[in-house]
Amino acid sequence: MKLLVSAVLAASAIAAAPAYAASEKDLATSKGCLACHGIDNKIVGPGYKEIAAKYKGQKDAEAKLIEKVKKGASGTWGPAAMPPQSPASSDADIKTLVQWILKM
C-alpha cells in the first residue's frame, strides 16, 4: 500500500510540473516579456536560459534581477535598454518570473 501511495504522489508531482511552468510562460507572455526575450535565444534582450547561466550560483541573483526588472537596466547585455516593468507588473509577478528564469 505504501508503494502505491508513493507512486501516486510521485506521478502527481511529475504531472503538475509542466502545468506550473506553462502558467509562468503564460505570465511572461501576458506581461510582454517574450516580445523581447526568448526562452532559448536572444530577441532584443538575452534569452532566459542565457540569463540563468550568467547568474547561476550567485546568492544575490534573485534580488539583483528583481531590481533590474522593476527599475529597468542597460549595459549588462549590450546597448539595448530594458524599460522599467514596475508598476505595470506587480512585485509578486516580477518575483515569480525571476524565479522561473533562474530555474532554467
Side-chain angles (χ1 to χ4, degrees):
M1 184 65 166
K2 286 182 183 180
L3 182 60
L4 177 60
V5 171
S6 296
V8 170
L9 290 175
S12 297
I14 291 168
Y20 185 69
S23 68
E24 292 159 328
K25 185 176 180 183
D26 290 343
L27 178 60
T29 300
S30 74
K31 296 298 180 182
C33 305
L34 297 178
C36 293
H37 300 276
I39 292 175
D40 295 313
N41 60 304
K42 176 180 179 172
I43 297 176
V44 174
Y48 287 158
K49 289 184 179 178
E50 187 178 8
I51 295 168
K54 179 179 181 82
Y55 289 93
K56 185 176 183 169
Q58 294 184 29
K59 293 180 192 257
D60 61 345
E62 183 177 319
K64 276 185 189 176
L65 290 175
I66 287 172
E67 283 303 303
K68 287 178 180 253
V69 174
K70 286 172 75 169
K71 296 180 179 179
S74 64
T76 305
W77 300 93
M82 182 177 73
Q85 302 302 307
S86 181
S89 296
S90 71
D91 289 352
D93 284 347
I94 292 170
K95 183 174 182 173
T96 296
L97 290 168
V98 166
Q99 289 174 339
W100 176 57
I101 293 164
L102 290 172
K103 290 179 197 170
M104 293 187 185

Coordinates of all heavy atoms in Angstrom, one line a residue:
M1 N 0.8 -1.2 0.0 CA 0.0 0.0 0.0 C 0.9 1.3 0.0 O 0.6 2.2 -0.7 CB -0.9 0.0 1.2 CG -1.9 1.1 1.2 SD -3.0 1.0 -0.2 CE -4.3 2.1 0.3
K2 N 1.9 1.3 0.8 CA 2.8 2.4 0.8 C 3.4 2.7 -0.5 O 3.6 3.8 -0.9 CB 3.9 2.2 1.9 CG 3.5 2.4 3.3 CD 4.6 2.2 4.2 CE 4.2 2.3 5.7 NZ 5.3 2.1 6.6
L3 N 3.8 1.6 -1.2 CA 4.4 1.7 -2.6 C 3.4 2.4 -3.5 O 3.7 3.2 -4.3 CB 4.8 0.3 -3.1 CG 5.5 0.3 -4.4 CD1 6.7 1.2 -4.4 CD2 5.8 -1.1 -4.8
L4 N 2.1 2.0 -3.4 CA 1.1 2.5 -4.3 C 0.9 4.0 -4.0 O 0.8 4.8 -4.9 CB -0.2 1.8 -4.1 CG -1.4 2.3 -4.9 CD1 -1.1 2.3 -6.4 CD2 -2.7 1.5 -4.6
V5 N 0.8 4.4 -2.8 CA 0.7 5.8 -2.4 C 1.9 6.6 -2.9 O 1.7 7.7 -3.4 CB 0.5 5.9 -0.9 CG1 0.5 7.4 -0.4 CG2 -0.9 5.3 -0.4
S6 N 3.1 6.1 -2.7 CA 4.3 6.8 -3.1 C 4.3 7.0 -4.6 O 4.6 8.0 -5.2 CB 5.5 6.0 -2.7 OG 5.6 5.9 -1.3
A7 N 3.9 5.9 -5.4 CA 3.8 6.0 -6.8 C 2.8 7.0 -7.3 O 3.1 7.8 -8.2 CB 3.5 4.6 -7.4
V8 N 1.7 7.1 -6.6 CA 0.6 8.1 -7.0 C 1.1 9.5 -6.7 O 0.9 10.4 -7.5 CB -0.7 7.8 -6.2 CG1 -1.7 8.9 -6.4 CG2 -1.3 6.5 -6.8
L9 N 1.7 9.7 -5.6 CA 2.3 11.0 -5.2 C 3.4 11.5 -6.2 O 3.4 12.6 -6.6 CB 2.8 11.0 -3.8 CG 1.7 11.0 -2.7 CD1 2.4 10.9 -1.3 CD2 0.8 12.2 -2.7
A10 N 4.2 10.5 -6.5 CA 5.3 10.9 -7.5 C 4.7 11.2 -8.9 O 5.1 12.2 -9.5 CB 6.3 9.7 -7.6
A11 N 3.8 10.4 -9.3 CA 3.1 10.7 -10.6 C 2.4 12.0 -10.6 O 2.4 12.8 -11.6 CB 2.1 9.6 -11.0
S12 N 1.8 12.4 -9.5 CA 1.1 13.7 -9.4 C 2.1 14.8 -9.5 O 1.8 15.8 -10.1 CB 0.3 13.7 -8.1 OG -0.7 12.8 -8.0
A13 N 3.2 14.7 -8.8 CA 4.2 15.8 -8.8 C 4.8 15.9 -10.2 O 4.9 17.1 -10.7 CB 5.3 15.4 -7.8
I14 N 5.0 14.9 -10.9 CA 5.5 14.9 -12.3 C 4.5 15.5 -13.2 O 4.8 16.4 -14.0 CB 6.0 13.5 -12.8 CG1 7.2 13.1 -12.0 CG2 6.2 13.5 -14.3 CD1 7.6 11.6 -12.2
A15 N 3.3 15.2 -13.1 CA 2.2 15.7 -13.9 C 2.0 17.2 -13.7 O 1.6 17.9 -14.6 CB 0.9 14.9 -13.7
A16 N 2.1 17.6 -12.4 CA 1.9 19.0 -12.1 C 3.0 19.9 -12.6 O 2.8 21.1 -12.8 CB 1.7 19.1 -10.6
A17 N 4.2 19.4 -12.7 CA 5.3 20.3 -13.1 C 5.2 21.0 -14.4 O 5.4 22.2 -14.4 CB 6.6 19.5 -13.1
P18 N 4.8 20.4 -15.5 CA 4.6 21.2 -16.7 C 3.5 22.2 -16.6 O 3.7 23.3 -17.2 CB 4.3 20.1 -17.7 CG 4.8 18.8 -17.2 CD 4.7 19.0 -15.7
A19 N 2.5 22.0 -15.9 CA 1.4 23.0 -15.8 C 1.9 24.2 -15.1 O 1.6 25.3 -15.4 CB 0.2 22.3 -15.1
Y20 N 2.7 24.0 -14.1 CA 3.3 25.2 -13.3 C 4.2 26.0 -14.3 O 4.0 27.2 -14.3 CB 4.1 24.6 -12.1 CG 4.6 25.7 -11.2 CD1 3.7 26.5 -10.4 CD2 6.0 25.9 -11.1 CE1 4.2 27.4 -9.6 CE2 6.4 26.9 -10.2 CZ 5.6 27.7 -9.5 OH 6.0 28.6 -8.7
A21 N 5.0 25.4 -15.0 CA 5.9 26.1 -15.9 C 5.1 26.8 -17.0 O 5.4 27.9 -17.4 CB 6.9 25.1 -16.6
A22 N 4.0 26.1 -17.5 CA 3.2 26.7 -18.5 C 2.5 28.0 -18.0 O 2.4 29.0 -18.7 CB 2.1 25.7 -19.0
S23 N 2.1 28.0 -16.7 CA 1.5 29.2 -16.2 C 2.5 30.3 -16.1 O 2.2 31.5 -16.3 CB 0.9 28.9 -14.8 OG 1.9 28.6 -13.8
E24 N 3.8 30.0 -15.8 CA 4.8 31.1 -15.8 C 5.1 31.6 -17.2 O 5.3 32.8 -17.4 CB 6.1 30.5 -15.1 CG 5.8 30.3 -13.6 CD 6.8 29.3 -13.0 OE1 7.3 28.4 -13.7 OE2 7.1 29.4 -11.8
K25 N 5.1 30.7 -18.1 CA 5.3 31.1 -19.5 C 4.1 32.0 -20.0 O 4.3 33.0 -20.6 CB 5.4 29.9 -20.5 CG 5.7 30.3 -21.9 CD 6.0 29.1 -22.8 CE 6.3 29.6 -24.2 NZ 6.5 28.5 -25.1
D26 N 2.9 31.6 -19.5 CA 1.7 32.4 -19.8 C 1.8 33.8 -19.2 O 1.4 34.8 -19.8 CB 0.4 31.7 -19.4 CG 0.1 30.5 -20.2 OD1 0.6 30.3 -21.3 OD2 -0.7 29.7 -19.7
L27 N 2.3 33.9 -18.0 CA 2.5 35.1 -17.3 C 3.5 36.0 -18.1 O 3.3 37.2 -18.3 CB 3.0 34.9 -15.9 CG 3.3 36.2 -15.0 CD1 2.1 37.0 -14.9 CD2 3.8 35.8 -13.6
A28 N 4.6 35.4 -18.5 CA 5.7 36.1 -19.3 C 5.1 36.6 -20.6 O 5.3 37.8 -21.0 CB 6.9 35.2 -19.5
T29 N 4.2 35.8 -21.2 CA 3.6 36.2 -22.4 C 2.6 37.4 -22.2 O 2.6 38.4 -22.9 CB 2.8 35.1 -23.1 OG1 3.7 34.0 -23.3 CG2 2.1 35.5 -24.3
S30 N 1.8 37.3 -21.1 CA 0.8 38.3 -20.8 C 1.5 39.7 -20.4 O 0.9 40.7 -20.7 CB -0.1 37.9 -19.7 OG 0.5 37.9 -18.5
K31 N 2.6 39.6 -19.9 CA 3.3 40.8 -19.5 C 4.2 41.4 -20.6 O 4.8 42.5 -20.4 CB 4.2 40.6 -18.2 CG 3.4 40.2 -17.0 CD 2.5 41.3 -16.6 CE 1.7 40.9 -15.4 NZ 0.8 42.0 -15.0
G32 N 4.3 40.7 -21.7 CA 5.0 41.2 -22.9 C 6.5 40.9 -22.8 O 7.3 41.3 -23.7
C33 N 6.9 40.1 -21.9 CA 8.3 39.7 -21.7 C 8.9 39.0 -23.0 O 10.0 39.2 -23.4 CB 8.6 38.9 -20.5 SG 7.9 39.5 -19.0
L34 N 8.1 38.1 -23.5 CA 8.5 37.3 -24.6 C 8.6 38.0 -25.9 O 9.1 37.4 -26.9 CB 7.7 36.0 -24.7 CG 7.8 35.1 -23.5 CD1 6.8 33.9 -23.6 CD2 9.2 34.6 -23.2
A35 N 8.2 39.2 -25.9 CA 8.4 40.1 -27.1 C 9.9 40.4 -27.3 O 10.3 40.6 -28.4 CB 7.5 41.3 -27.1
C36 N 10.6 40.5 -26.2 CA 12.0 40.9 -26.2 C 13.0 39.8 -25.8 O 14.1 39.9 -26.1 CB 12.2 42.1 -25.4 SG 11.4 43.6 -25.9
H37 N 12.5 38.8 -25.1 CA 13.3 37.8 -24.5 C 12.8 36.4 -25.0 O 11.6 36.1 -24.7 CB 13.3 37.7 -23.0 CG 13.9 39.0 -22.4 ND1 15.2 39.2 -22.2 CD2 13.2 40.1 -21.9 CE1 15.4 40.4 -21.6 NE2 14.2 40.9 -21.4
G38 N 13.6 35.6 -25.7 CA 13.2 34.3 -26.0 C 13.6 33.4 -24.8 O 14.4 33.8 -23.9
I39 N 13.1 32.2 -24.8 CA 13.5 31.3 -23.7 C 14.9 30.7 -24.0 O 15.8 30.7 -23.2 CB 12.5 30.2 -23.5 CG1 11.2 30.8 -23.0 CG2 13.0 29.1 -22.6 CD1 10.0 29.8 -22.8
D40 N 15.1 30.3 -25.3 CA 16.4 29.7 -25.7 C 17.3 30.7 -26.5 O 18.4 30.4 -26.7 CB 16.1 28.5 -26.6 CG 15.4 27.4 -25.9 OD1 15.8 27.1 -24.8 OD2 14.4 26.9 -26.4
N41 N 16.7 31.9 -26.9 CA 17.5 32.7 -27.7 C 17.3 34.2 -27.4 O 16.3 34.6 -26.9 CB 17.2 32.4 -29.2 CG 15.7 32.6 -29.5 OD1 14.9 32.1 -28.8 ND2 15.4 33.5 -30.4
K42 N 18.2 35.0 -27.9 CA 18.1 36.4 -27.8 C 17.1 36.9 -28.8 O 17.1 36.4 -30.0 CB 19.5 37.1 -28.0 CG 19.5 38.6 -28.1 CD 20.9 39.1 -28.3 CE 20.8 40.6 -28.4 NZ 22.1 41.3 -28.4
I43 N 16.3 37.9 -28.4 CA 15.5 38.6 -29.4 C 16.0 40.0 -29.4 O 16.9 40.4 -30.2 CB 14.0 38.5 -29.1 CG1 13.6 37.0 -29.1 CG2 13.1 39.3 -30.0 CD1 12.1 36.7 -28.7
V44 N 15.5 40.9 -28.5 CA 16.1 42.2 -28.3 C 17.1 42.1 -27.1 O 18.2 42.5 -27.1 CB 15.0 43.2 -28.0 CG1 15.6 44.6 -27.7 CG2 14.1 43.4 -29.3
G45 N 16.5 41.5 -26.0 CA 17.3 41.2 -24.9 C 17.8 39.8 -24.8 O 17.3 39.0 -25.7
P46 N 18.5 39.4 -23.9 CA 19.0 38.0 -23.8 C 17.9 37.0 -23.6 O 16.9 37.3 -23.0 CB 20.0 38.0 -22.6 CG 19.4 39.1 -21.7 CD 18.9 40.1 -22.7
G47 N 18.2 35.7 -24.0 CA 17.3 34.6 -23.8 C 17.3 34.3 -22.3 O 18.3 34.5 -21.6
Y48 N 16.2 33.7 -21.8 CA 16.1 33.4 -20.4 C 17.2 32.3 -20.0 O 17.7 32.4 -18.9 CB 14.7 32.8 -20.1 CG 13.7 33.9 -20.1 CD1 12.3 33.6 -20.2 CD2 14.0 35.3 -19.9 CE1 11.4 34.6 -20.2 CE2 13.0 36.2 -19.8 CZ 11.7 35.9 -20.0 OH 10.7 36.8 -20.0
K49 N 17.5 31.4 -20.8 CA 18.5 30.4 -20.4 C 19.9 31.0 -20.3 O 20.7 30.6 -19.5 CB 18.5 29.2 -21.4 CG 17.2 28.4 -21.2 CD 17.2 27.1 -22.1 CE 16.0 26.3 -21.9 NZ 15.9 25.1 -22.7
E50 N 20.1 32.0 -21.1 CA 21.4 32.8 -21.1 C 21.5 33.6 -19.8 O 22.5 33.6 -19.1 CB 21.5 33.7 -22.3 CG 22.9 34.4 -22.4 CD 23.0 35.3 -23.6 OE1 22.0 35.5 -24.3 OE2 24.1 35.8 -23.9
I51 N 20.4 34.2 -19.4 CA 20.3 34.9 -18.1 C 20.6 33.9 -16.9 O 21.4 34.2 -16.0 CB 19.0 35.6 -17.9 CG1 18.8 36.7 -19.0 CG2 18.8 36.2 -16.5 CD1 17.4 37.3 -19.1
A52 N 19.9 32.8 -17.0 CA 20.0 31.8 -15.9 C 21.5 31.3 -15.8 O 22.0 31.2 -14.7 CB 19.1 30.6 -16.1
A53 N 22.1 31.1 -16.9 CA 23.5 30.7 -16.9 C 24.5 31.7 -16.3 O 25.4 31.4 -15.6 CB 24.0 30.3 -18.3
K54 N 24.2 33.0 -16.7 CA 25.1 34.1 -16.2 C 25.0 34.3 -14.7 O 26.0 34.5 -14.0 CB 24.7 35.4 -16.9 CG 25.5 36.6 -16.4 CD 25.1 37.9 -17.2 CE 25.9 39.1 -16.8 NZ 27.1 39.2 -17.5
Y55 N 23.8 34.1 -14.1 CA 23.6 34.3 -12.7 C 23.6 33.0 -11.9 O 23.5 33.1 -10.6 CB 22.3 35.0 -12.5 CG 22.4 36.5 -13.0 CD1 22.0 36.8 -14.2 CD2 22.9 37.5 -12.1 CE1 22.1 38.1 -14.7 CE2 23.0 38.8 -12.6 CZ 22.6 39.1 -13.9 OH 22.7 40.4 -14.3
K56 N 23.9 31.9 -12.5 CA 23.9 30.6 -11.8 C 25.0 30.7 -10.6 O 26.1 31.1 -10.8 CB 24.3 29.5 -12.7 CG 24.2 28.1 -12.1 CD 24.5 27.0 -13.0 CE 24.3 25.7 -12.3 NZ 24.3 24.6 -13.3
G57 N 24.5 30.2 -9.5 CA 25.4 30.2 -8.3 C 25.6 31.5 -7.5 O 26.3 31.5 -6.5
Q58 N 25.0 32.6 -8.0 CA 25.2 33.8 -7.3 C 24.0 33.9 -6.3 O 22.9 33.9 -6.6 CB 25.1 35.0 -8.3 CG 26.2 35.1 -9.3 CD 26.1 36.3 -10.2 OE1 25.6 37.3 -9.8 NE2 26.7 36.2 -11.4
K59 N 24.4 34.1 -5.1 CA 23.5 34.1 -4.0 C 22.5 35.2 -4.1 O 21.3 35.1 -3.6 CB 24.2 34.1 -2.6 CG 25.0 32.8 -2.3 CD 25.6 32.9 -1.0 CE 26.6 31.8 -0.9 NZ 26.3 30.7 -0.1
D60 N 22.9 36.3 -4.6 CA 22.0 37.5 -4.7 C 21.4 37.7 -6.1 O 20.8 38.7 -6.4 CB 22.8 38.8 -4.3 CG 24.0 39.0 -5.3 OD1 24.4 38.1 -6.0 OD2 24.5 40.2 -5.2
A61 N 21.4 36.6 -6.9 CA 20.9 36.7 -8.3 C 19.5 37.1 -8.3 O 19.1 38.0 -9.1 CB 21.1 35.4 -9.0
E62 N 18.6 36.5 -7.5 CA 17.2 36.8 -7.5 C 17.0 38.3 -7.2 O 16.2 39.0 -7.9 CB 16.5 35.9 -6.5 CG 15.0 36.1 -6.5 CD 14.2 35.2 -5.6 OE1 14.5 34.0 -5.5 OE2 13.2 35.7 -5.0
A63 N 17.6 38.8 -6.1 CA 17.4 40.2 -5.7 C 17.9 41.1 -6.8 O 17.2 42.1 -7.2 CB 18.1 40.5 -4.4
K64 N 19.1 40.8 -7.4 CA 19.6 41.6 -8.5 C 18.7 41.7 -9.7 O 18.4 42.8 -10.2 CB 20.9 41.0 -9.0 CG 22.2 41.4 -8.3 CD 23.3 40.8 -9.0 CE 24.6 40.9 -8.3 NZ 25.7 40.2 -9.0
L65 N 18.2 40.5 -10.1 CA 17.3 40.5 -11.3 C 15.9 41.2 -11.0 O 15.4 41.8 -11.9 CB 17.1 39.1 -11.8 CG 18.4 38.5 -12.4 CD1 18.2 37.0 -12.8 CD2 18.8 39.3 -13.6
I66 N 15.4 41.0 -9.8 CA 14.2 41.7 -9.5 C 14.3 43.2 -9.6 O 13.5 43.8 -10.2 CB 13.7 41.2 -8.1 CG1 13.1 39.8 -8.1 CG2 12.6 42.2 -7.5 CD1 12.8 39.2 -6.7
E67 N 15.4 43.7 -9.1 CA 15.7 45.1 -9.2 C 15.8 45.6 -10.7 O 15.3 46.6 -11.0 CB 16.9 45.5 -8.4 CG 16.6 45.6 -6.9 CD 15.5 46.6 -6.5 OE1 15.6 47.8 -6.9 OE2 14.5 46.1 -5.9
K68 N 16.5 44.8 -11.5 CA 16.7 45.1 -12.9 C 15.4 45.1 -13.6 O 15.1 46.0 -14.4 CB 17.7 44.2 -13.6 CG 19.1 44.4 -13.2 CD 20.0 43.3 -13.8 CE 21.4 43.5 -13.5 NZ 22.2 44.0 -14.5
V69 N 14.5 44.2 -13.3 CA 13.2 44.1 -14.0 C 12.3 45.3 -13.5 O 11.7 46.0 -14.3 CB 12.5 42.8 -13.7 CG1 11.1 42.8 -14.3 CG2 13.3 41.6 -14.3
K70 N 12.3 45.5 -12.2 CA 11.5 46.6 -11.7 C 11.9 48.0 -12.2 O 11.1 48.8 -12.6 CB 11.5 46.6 -10.1 CG 10.7 45.5 -9.5 CD 11.0 45.4 -8.0 CE 10.3 46.5 -7.3 NZ 10.3 46.2 -5.8
K71 N 13.2 48.3 -12.1 CA 13.7 49.6 -12.4 C 14.2 49.8 -13.9 O 14.5 50.9 -14.3 CB 14.9 50.0 -11.5 CG 14.4 50.0 -10.0 CD 15.5 50.4 -9.1 CE 15.0 50.4 -7.6 NZ 16.1 50.7 -6.7
G72 N 14.4 48.7 -14.6 CA 15.0 48.8 -15.9 C 16.5 48.6 -15.8 O 17.0 48.8 -14.7
A73 N 17.1 48.3 -16.9 CA 18.5 48.1 -16.9 C 19.1 48.3 -18.3 O 18.4 48.2 -19.3 CB 18.9 46.7 -16.4
S74 N 20.4 48.6 -18.4 CA 21.1 48.7 -19.7 C 22.5 48.4 -19.4 O 23.1 48.6 -18.3 CB 20.9 50.1 -20.3 OG 21.4 51.1 -19.5
G75 N 23.2 48.0 -20.5 CA 24.6 47.8 -20.4 C 25.1 46.4 -20.1 O 26.2 46.0 -20.4
T76 N 24.3 45.6 -19.4 CA 24.7 44.3 -19.0 C 24.8 43.4 -20.2 O 25.7 42.5 -20.2 CB 23.7 43.7 -18.0 OG1 23.6 44.6 -16.9 CG2 24.2 42.4 -17.5
W77 N 23.9 43.5 -21.1 CA 23.9 42.6 -22.3 C 24.1 43.3 -23.6 O 23.8 42.8 -24.7 CB 22.5 41.9 -22.3 CG 22.3 41.1 -21.1 CD1 21.6 41.5 -19.9 CD2 22.7 39.7 -20.8 NE1 21.6 40.4 -19.0 CE2 22.2 39.4 -19.5 CE3 23.4 38.8 -21.6 CZ2 22.5 38.1 -19.0 CZ3 23.6 37.5 -21.0 CH2 23.2 37.2 -19.7
G78 N 24.6 44.5 -23.6 CA 24.8 45.3 -24.8 C 24.0 46.6 -24.7 O 23.6 47.0 -23.6
P79 N 23.9 47.3 -25.8 CA 23.4 48.7 -25.7 C 21.9 48.8 -25.5 O 21.4 49.9 -25.1 CB 23.8 49.3 -27.0 CG 23.9 48.1 -28.0 CD 24.4 47.0 -27.1
A80 N 21.1 47.8 -25.8 CA 19.7 47.8 -25.7 C 19.3 48.0 -24.2 O 19.8 47.2 -23.4 CB 19.0 46.6 -26.3
A81 N 18.4 48.9 -24.0 CA 17.9 49.1 -22.6 C 16.6 48.4 -22.4 O 15.7 48.4 -23.3 CB 17.7 50.6 -22.3
M82 N 16.4 47.8 -21.2 CA 15.1 47.2 -20.8 C 14.4 48.3 -20.0 O 14.9 48.8 -19.0 CB 15.2 46.0 -20.0 CG 13.9 45.4 -19.6 SD 14.0 43.8 -18.7 CE 14.5 44.4 -17.1
P83 N 13.2 48.7 -20.4 CA 12.5 49.7 -19.6 C 12.0 49.2 -18.3 O 11.8 47.9 -18.1 CB 11.3 50.1 -20.5 CG 11.1 49.0 -21.4 CD 12.5 48.3 -21.6
P84 N 11.7 50.0 -17.3 CA 11.2 49.5 -16.0 C 9.9 48.8 -16.2 O 9.0 49.3 -17.0 CB 11.0 50.8 -15.2 CG 11.7 51.9 -16.0 CD 11.9 51.5 -17.4
Q85 N 9.7 47.7 -15.5 CA 8.4 47.0 -15.6 C 7.5 47.2 -14.4 O 6.4 46.6 -14.4 CB 8.8 45.5 -15.8 CG 9.7 45.2 -16.9 CD 9.0 45.6 -18.3 OE1 7.9 45.2 -18.6 NE2 9.8 46.4 -19.0
S86 N 7.9 48.0 -13.5 CA 7.1 48.3 -12.3 C 6.7 49.8 -12.5 O 7.5 50.6 -12.9 CB 7.9 48.1 -11.1 OG 7.1 48.4 -9.9
P87 N 5.5 50.1 -12.3 CA 4.4 49.4 -11.6 C 3.5 48.6 -12.5 O 2.5 48.0 -12.0 CB 3.6 50.6 -11.0 CG 3.7 51.7 -11.9 CD 5.1 51.5 -12.5
A88 N 3.7 48.6 -13.8 CA 2.9 47.8 -14.7 C 2.8 46.3 -14.3 O 1.7 45.7 -14.5 CB 3.4 47.9 -16.2
S89 N 3.9 45.8 -13.8 CA 3.9 44.4 -13.3 C 4.0 44.5 -11.8 O 4.8 45.2 -11.3 CB 5.0 43.6 -13.9 OG 4.9 43.5 -15.3
S90 N 3.3 43.7 -11.1 CA 3.3 43.6 -9.6 C 4.6 43.0 -9.1 O 5.3 42.3 -9.9 CB 2.2 42.9 -9.0 OG 2.3 41.5 -9.3
D91 N 5.0 43.4 -7.9 CA 6.2 42.8 -7.3 C 6.1 41.2 -7.3 O 7.1 40.6 -7.5 CB 6.4 43.3 -5.9 CG 6.9 44.7 -5.8 OD1 7.2 45.3 -6.9 OD2 6.9 45.3 -4.7
A92 N 4.9 40.7 -7.0 CA 4.7 39.3 -6.9 C 4.9 38.6 -8.3 O 5.6 37.6 -8.4 CB 3.3 38.9 -6.4
D93 N 4.4 39.3 -9.4 CA 4.6 38.7 -10.7 C 6.1 38.8 -11.1 O 6.6 37.8 -11.7 CB 3.8 39.5 -11.7 CG 2.3 39.2 -11.7 OD1 1.9 38.1 -11.0 OD2 1.5 39.9 -12.3
I94 N 6.7 39.9 -10.8 CA 8.2 40.0 -11.1 C 9.0 38.9 -10.4 O 9.8 38.3 -11.0 CB 8.7 41.4 -10.8 CG1 8.0 42.4 -11.8 CG2 10.2 41.5 -10.9 CD1 8.3 43.9 -11.4
K95 N 8.7 38.7 -9.2 CA 9.4 37.7 -8.4 C 9.2 36.3 -9.0 O 10.1 35.5 -9.2 CB 9.0 37.7 -6.9 CG 9.8 36.7 -6.1 CD 9.4 36.9 -4.6 CE 10.3 35.9 -3.8 NZ 10.1 36.1 -2.4
T96 N 7.9 36.0 -9.3 CA 7.6 34.7 -10.0 C 8.4 34.5 -11.2 O 8.9 33.4 -11.5 CB 6.1 34.6 -10.2 OG1 5.4 34.7 -9.0 CG2 5.7 33.4 -11.0
L97 N 8.4 35.5 -12.1 CA 9.1 35.4 -13.4 C 10.6 35.2 -13.2 O 11.3 34.4 -13.8 CB 8.8 36.6 -14.2 CG 7.4 36.7 -14.8 CD1 7.1 38.0 -15.4 CD2 7.1 35.5 -15.8
V98 N 11.2 36.0 -12.3 CA 12.6 35.9 -12.0 C 13.0 34.5 -11.5 O 13.9 33.9 -11.9 CB 13.1 37.0 -11.0 CG1 14.5 36.7 -10.5 CG2 13.1 38.4 -11.7
Q99 N 12.2 34.0 -10.5 CA 12.4 32.6 -10.0 C 12.3 31.6 -11.1 O 13.1 30.7 -11.2 CB 11.5 32.3 -8.9 CG 11.7 33.1 -7.6 CD 10.7 32.9 -6.5 OE1 9.6 32.5 -6.8 NE2 11.1 33.2 -5.3
W100 N 11.4 31.8 -12.0 CA 11.2 30.8 -13.1 C 12.4 30.9 -14.0 O 13.0 29.8 -14.4 CB 9.9 31.2 -13.9 CG 9.7 30.5 -15.1 CD1 9.5 29.1 -15.3 CD2 9.5 31.0 -16.5 NE1 9.2 28.7 -16.6 CE2 9.2 29.9 -17.3 CE3 9.5 32.3 -17.0 CZ2 9.0 30.1 -18.7 CZ3 9.2 32.4 -18.3 CH2 9.0 31.3 -19.2
I101 N 12.9 32.1 -14.4 CA 14.1 32.2 -15.2 C 15.3 31.6 -14.6 O 16.1 30.8 -15.2 CB 14.3 33.7 -15.5 CG1 13.2 34.3 -16.4 CG2 15.7 33.9 -16.2 CD1 13.2 35.8 -16.4
L102 N 15.5 31.8 -13.3 CA 16.7 31.3 -12.6 C 16.7 29.7 -12.5 O 17.7 29.1 -12.3 CB 16.9 31.9 -11.3 CG 17.3 33.4 -11.3 CD1 17.2 34.0 -9.9 CD2 18.6 33.5 -11.9
K103 N 15.5 29.1 -12.7 CA 15.4 27.6 -12.6 C 15.8 27.0 -14.0 O 15.9 25.8 -14.0 CB 14.0 27.2 -12.3 CG 13.6 27.5 -10.9 CD 12.1 27.0 -10.7 CE 11.5 27.6 -9.4 NZ 10.1 27.4 -9.4
M104 N 16.0 27.8 -15.0 CA 16.2 27.2 -16.3 C 17.7 26.7 -16.5 O 18.5 27.1 -15.8 CB 15.9 28.3 -17.4 CG 14.5 28.6 -17.5 SD 14.1 29.7 -18.8 CE 12.4 29.9 -18.6

